[in-house]
Amino acid sequence: MDSPPHDSSQDPQPGLPAVQVVHEEASREPILTLPFALTAYILLLAVIHLRVLLPPELENWTIDVFGFIPKRYDSSLLNLQIPGGTGAKVWSFVTYSLLHANLTHLGFNVLWLLPFGSALARRFGAVRFFLFLAVTAAAGALAHLVTHEHAVAPMIGASASVSGAMAAAIRFAFVRGSFLSFNRSDADTAARVPALPLSRALRDGRVVGFLAVWFGVNIIFGVGAIGIDSETTSVAWQAHIGGFFAGLLLFTLFDPVPRARNDAADASSQDVSDRI
């Protein structure tokens, strides 16, 4: 058979190496693409936030029913009537994390979730990712309950889950080829590098530095999950820490990527060794 006519207009530009043409085509790809699981989660938060359009009494009822109120669990106040009943004692451990006080509150949590949550969603897949967010939210609520057992103000916000995602991500973020590495790979590959064992990660100066800054910012300033009463608004930094520790310690239970050996982790974490 004769070959089809050759269309020279489809050839790479004369004199340009093929790799350069490929590079130019790749550069047209979007700079930031979000995995489906993270996009769905952000959309869910945005849709739920439309509750602010409800009449004030209905919006307050929604916060009372789905926000986390430590006073629900105070057995000494049997006559205290809090909307939601027994069911709210269960679901509010997670549902509080889907509510936000205002657009600034929501936007800040989403902003922090974009880099860390994106890597984690790619690594875990949708089911593991959503379960992980729920578990870290519950851990944050538990930490808040232990430290605020008589609080009446509802706590809301995704900050405990965001903190958990950040903690989980640093288990692999600094490994060669990952998203905080000097030798970063493409997004999917960067999200699936073998994670450092926790003992090894805690000996990495970059991880320790990240932990120091994170704890300092949360304790001194604090941002995220807050009370609703404008006169008693406060930062629930203990919930952030609860979610963070849960993400750091429980990461292995959710991670589908095989662990790196200690010697392999030591070698892979040295980003600049080949530049010296």
Side-chain angles (χ1 to χ4, degrees), residues 15 38 47 53-54 67 82 148 169 179-180 186 192 208 215-216 224 227 250 263:
L38 180 59
V47 169
L53 302 178
L54 297 172
I82 300 179
H148 296 78
F179 70 102
L180 291 183
D186 65 273
R192 297 188 65 82
V208 173
F215 276 97
L250 300 179
D263 56 344

Side-chain angles (χ1 to χ4, degrees), residues 144-164:
H144 185 70
L145 176 60
V146 170
T147 55
H148 296 78
E149 59 178 328
H150 300 300
V152 178
M155 179 183 72
I156 61 174
S159 296
S161 295
V162 173
S163 298

Side-chain angles (χ1 to χ4, degrees), residues 12-13 15-22:
Q13 298 178 28
L16 287 181
V19 290
Q20 182 173 345
V21 174
V22 172

Side-chain angles (χ1 to χ4, degrees), residues 4 11 13 33 79 94 151 161 174 215 257:
D11 288 343
Q13 298 178 28
T33 57
N79 295 325
V94 174
S161 295
F174 296 106
F215 276 97
V257 180

Side-chain angles (χ1 to χ4, degrees), residues 65-108:
V65 171
F66 297 104
F68 188 79
I69 305 176
K71 211 67 170 175
R72 292 189 204 276
Y73 310 93
D74 192 338
S75 59
S76 65
L77 297 176
L78 299 178
N79 295 325
L80 182 65
Q81 298 296 320
I82 300 179
T86 303
K89 291 184 177 182
V90 178
W91 65 58
S92 64
F93 268 89
V94 174
T95 55
Y96 82 92
S97 67
L98 303 177
L99 301 168
H100 290 83
N102 49 50
L103 283 176
T104 300
H105 187 200
L106 173 61
F108 199 93

Side-chain angles (χ1 to χ4, degrees), residues 209-254:
F210 184 95
L211 292 173
V213 171
W214 187 91
F215 276 97
V217 169
N218 275 274
I219 293 175
I220 296 174
F221 300 103
V223 286
I226 61 177
I228 298 305
D229 185 343
S230 60
E231 296 182 358
T232 60
T233 294
S234 60
V235 175
W237 58 269
Q238 296 93 336
H240 300 184
I241 292 177
F244 191 90
F245 272 117
L248 190 66
L249 298 175
L250 300 179
F251 166 79
T252 303
L253 298 180
F254 292 87

